[in-house]
Amino acid sequence: MQSVQKVLMVVAVLGAGAGVGSALFALVTPGELQKQEMLKEMPEQDPRRRDEGKRNQQLVMATLQEAAATQENVAWRKNWLVGGGGSGGKSA
């Protein structure tokens, strides 16, 4: 009889803990209007930030394509905006 009582007590305590956790989660999650406002404020929504990201991606892709086409170690390049013709290695 005592073991059944202990099992019921453990189930009740775990259920209460899960209930409190669920209630707290429901209280702290933002509502739909707050989600929309947060999405508007994200940096990716700014047109200048998107253009900067596109430009950065274009530079990385151009560098990768150039690295694939040449034997030069482009990782040692001082100025990444300038194409090949660099020193090609460490400068002493």
Side-chain angles (χ1 to χ4, degrees):
M1 188 66 176
Q2 272 187 332
S3 62
V4 172
Q5 196 174 21
K6 283 184 182 181
V7 168
L8 289 176
M9 183 61 105
V10 168
V11 168
V13 168
L14 290 177
V20 169
S22 298
L24 288 175
F25 182 75
L27 286 174
V28 298
T29 54
E32 191 62 34
L33 293 175
Q34 287 177 323
K35 286 181 188 177
Q36 294 298 324
E37 287 298 320
M38 288 180 357
L39 286 174
K40 287 180 186 176
E41 294 174 5
M42 292 182 79
E44 291 82 14
Q45 299 297 325
D46 184 23
R48 290 178 296 170
R49 173 67 176 99
R50 279 187 296 201
D51 292 342
E52 180 183 333
K54 286 179 187 176
R55 175 73 175 136
N56 189 23
Q57 188 175 11
Q58 288 172 347
L59 288 173
V60 169
M61 290 304 293
T63 303
L64 288 174
Q65 288 174 346
E66 183 181 346
T70 183
Q71 293 297 318
E72 178 190 3
N73 186 354
V74 296
W76 292 104
R77 199 176 280 166
K78 298 269 188 222
N79 186 356
W80 288 71
L81 299 176
V82 177
S87 61
K90 293 185 206 176
S91 57

